[in-house]
Each structure stands twice: as structure tokens, then as C-alpha cells.
Amino acid sequence: MSRNGGENMALTVMRPGLLTTVQDLGRPAYQQYGVVVGGVMDEGAARVANLLVGNDEGMAVLELTMAGAGLRADEDMAMAICGGDMVVEADGESVPLWRPVLWREGSVLSFLTCRSGCRAYLAVSGGIDVPLVMGSRSTYLRAGIGGLEGRALRKGDKLSVLPSAPGSKQAQVMHMLRGQGGTMSWHAGHFAIMHTPMHVIRIMPGTHMDRLSAESKHALLQTAFRVGVRSDRMGYRLEGQQLQLITKEELLSEAVAAGTIQVPGDGQPIVLLADRQTTGGYPRVAQVAAVDLPIFAGLKPGDEVRFQLITHQDAERLLLQRERDIDVLKAGIALKMKKAGAVSAPT
């Protein structure tokens, strides 16, 4: 049960920035009813941020777009910021990314600029506490559900966090932070995506790849596409060489997934993302490999991408490797907690 509106609030929104929302891993169990999955744009960054503060991977975080946000801690808590390479300060002091940091009561966290990427994820110990809607705390703006009243955060909003039990992982992280002066010496920066002027996105053939003309297949794989200004959390509209279909036969609407690449009538591909619809009737010419979906979370209008064709087996291998990397991170954090507990235990 959320404590929003009560007296025990953990943080206050001083400035909301361009777009700040509460998100988690979404609502995958309700697609058969036409409910979008939603959730974070960069699942990997949100999961790692949660693990760094001792949370379960799926706890609610704040998704911050670009810069400008200012947040005040109303109690001491552990935090971790992952995702885009943002300049973040707490009361004028630089805050490191991809590692646990003690966010002290009264301290104001400011997201100043983006060196690269455009979205960051703030996890706090316990996880953001807003009401569950269909099993998720994620905000779906188009329908006005989830998160805080189904909307983006505003100046003056107050949020609470779920309580951390004594002896929990969150409590252990807080103990470790206090013992190390407020910042851990270790980090998970190897999970960061290096944003470059040109990203290569790995894709697999879609159900309707054979509907593209030979020239358009070549264009899809050999030319660059630019992120259009009409891109949003629902999908990124790409601009480049117009893709031509060899048949104009209409399709029945069928299920789509995160990373499905559709080609509408104007021939400019659309990559479906977190807030995508559950079904679509445009030709589905390709599917982005799951491990490369987080790249789109950091792309801004004007950024360019190229596509590289891989097999489904390659995509599965890459995904399994990412999950192994996250398992290694979990084991490493558990080991550091165990060592910290042994050092602090009475002899």
C-alpha cells in the first residue's frame, strides 16, 4: 500500500526536469487484454541500479529524461544512478554513476546535463512506493495509469519508499555505505552503454522481411537511419531511404513485441519500444535483438543507427551472456555484503 499523501515521505520533487516518471519492468501479463507492457526503456540499467542498492530487480525506479530534474532526500537512503552518462550533483558535489551512494537527508540531487545518452534511472533503497496497478507501478502516460496518478512528476510531488527490514539487503547496503564514507569503492560501470555518433543495432529477420524489395533489403542493412523528432516511448520513427514493399496486400493485426520494426505506408521504419501497442497491422520486417534494445533508450532525435543482421541463435547467445553478467554482479554484491558483515560482527 502506498504511503503517498501521508507524513512519511522519502523524497520531494524540487524540479521535474523534461520528463520524470515512476517505472518498473512493466505489465507483461495483461497483453491479451490490450494493455501495453510499458515499464522502463532501459531494462538493464534499471535492474542494475536496483541491485546496487539491495533491491529486487523489478522494484520501481525513477526514469529521468535528459536533464533539469532536482530531487531532495527527506530521509537517509541508498541510491544508485545508472543509464545515460549524466552530470549529477548533490549539493554541488559530483555524484558517481553506476555505484551505491548514500543520499543524505536534506541533500538535493541535481541532474545537470547529458554527456551522452538521454535517460537515467534512479533507484533508492526499498524502491519507490506508489500503488500497484495490474501488478506494476510503472507509469503509462497515454492511459493515465500507474506511477503517481498516472502522470509525469511535478514540482512539489512527494514520494515514499517501501520499508527496508532489519537485516535486509537494503539495510546491509546502508550499513556498508555509512562505513565507507557514503560511497562504495566498487561500481558496475561495465554495464554502461557507450553512446557514439553511430550505433550498430543487431536485428533478426521479421515475419514480413520477404515483402521488402531487394533494394529496400539492401537499404535496411547498408544505409544509416536517423531518429526522427516524433519518436517517443511508444516507438522511434526512423528517417532515411524509403523502404518499398513488393506487395500492398493488407495484413491482419498480429502481436508485436519490444523491438519489432514495422514499415508503415510512408516507407519509414518504426521501432516499437516500451509503450508500444499490443498488436499491429503494418509489415513486421525485422526484430531488434533484446540486448540492443537499451541503446534506443539513449538515442535522441538526430542520432543515427545502422542495422546488422544476425541469427536468432546469435541473439539468444547474446541475451544469455547478458544474464550471466547480471548473475555475476549479484554474486559479487552478495560476497561484498558477506565480507562487510564479517568485519562488522563482534569478536
Side-chain angles (χ1 to χ4, degrees):
M1 181 71 179
S2 174
R3 296 191 301 272
N4 286 305
E7 297 180 356
N8 187 12
M9 296 299 170
L11 62 92
T12 299
V13 179
M14 310 299 288
R15 301 179 303 277
L18 181 63
L19 177 65
T20 301
T21 57
V22 178
Q23 301 291 347
D24 57 18
L25 301 184
R27 304 180 173 86
Y30 292 87
Q31 294 179 83
Q32 66 268 37
Y33 305 114
V35 178
V36 305
V37 176
V40 294
M41 286 277 282
D42 186 343
E43 179 184 310
R47 291 170 65 189
V48 170
N50 269 322
L51 290 172
L52 290 173
V53 297
N55 291 344
D56 292 337
E57 297 172 48
M59 286 184 165
V61 299
L62 294 185
E63 180 180 88
L64 302 108
T65 304
M66 299 300 288
L71 308 166
R72 185 188 69 215
D74 296 328
E75 61 182 63
D76 283 1
M77 66 187 96
M79 69 170 178
I81 303 167
C82 300
D85 187 11
M86 290 198 177
V87 177
V88 185
E89 293 183 353
D91 299 334
E93 297 292 325
S94 178
V95 176
L97 309 181
W98 297 93
R99 74 177 70 205
V101 176
L102 180 59
W103 191 8
R104 299 186 185 277
E105 181 179 355
S107 178
V108 175
L109 197 64
S110 297
F111 292 76
L112 302 179
T113 60
C114 294
R115 285 181 287 240
S116 67
C118 68
R119 288 182 176 87
Y121 296 87
L122 170 66
V124 294
S125 47
I128 302 296
D129 181 14
V130 293
L132 285 166
V133 178
M134 288 177 278
S136 171
R137 293 183 168 86
S138 62
T139 310
Y140 179 40
L141 294 173
R142 288 174 183 262
I145 63 172
L148 183 60
E149 301 173 357
R151 59 171 173 79
L153 298 187
R154 301 170 184 161
K155 181 178 179 179
D157 282 339
K158 295 180 178 294
L159 295 169
S160 59
V161 299
L162 293 165
S164 301
S168 65
K169 291 179 181 178
Q170 296 99 329
Q172 292 180 63
V173 170
M174 285 290 289
H175 173 76
M176 293 165 67
L177 284 169
R178 289 194 168 104
Q180 295 191 30
T183 305
M184 297 295 191
S185 59
W186 47 272
H187 63 85
H190 54 289
F191 284 95
I193 295 172
M194 301 304 294
H195 290 277
T196 63
M198 173 69 71
H199 276 285
V200 176
I201 307 293
R202 290 166 288 194
I203 61 173
M204 298 158 285
T207 304
H208 304 124
M209 173 72 89
D210 59 357
R211 288 179 175 244
L212 289 177
S213 66
E215 183 182 82
S216 292
K217 287 180 184 177
H218 181 270
L220 180 65
L221 299 173
Q222 300 299 328
T223 64
F225 290 87
R226 185 175 59 256
V227 177
V229 295
R230 293 189 297 159
S231 300
D232 56 21
R233 283 177 45 90
M234 183 176 181
Y236 270 29
R237 295 176 177 270
L238 305 183
E239 300 170 349
Q241 184 171 327
Q242 187 180 48
L243 302 182
Q244 300 289 338
L245 301 170
I246 60 177
T247 175
K248 300 297 184 181
E249 178 185 351
E250 291 189 9
L251 299 170
L252 294 175
S253 291
E254 295 183 2
V256 293
T260 295
I261 301 178
Q262 294 183 312
V263 178
D266 64 4
Q268 300 296 290
I270 302 172
V271 182
L272 302 183
L273 297 170
D275 285 351
R276 67 198 178 275
Q277 69 275 23
T278 57
T279 62
Y282 292 135
R284 304 181 303 283
V285 299
Q287 179 69 37
V288 175
V291 293
D292 283 351
L293 277 173
I295 293 174
F296 285 97
L299 296 179
K300 302 180 289 294
D303 289 344
E304 293 188 335
V305 298
R306 286 181 179 269
F307 294 114
Q308 176 187 348
L309 198 63
I310 63 173
T311 66
H312 288 80
Q313 291 79 8
D314 289 335
E316 184 179 67
R317 175 180 53 79
L318 291 166
L319 182 60
L320 289 172
Q321 182 59 57
R322 184 190 73 177
E323 293 306 307
R324 283 193 289 268
D325 291 343
I326 289 179
D327 285 342
V328 169
L329 176 65
K330 292 179 188 176
I333 293 173
L335 181 60
K336 291 181 183 299
M337 288 182 178
K338 183 177 180 180
K339 289 182 177 178
V343 168
S344 61
T347 56

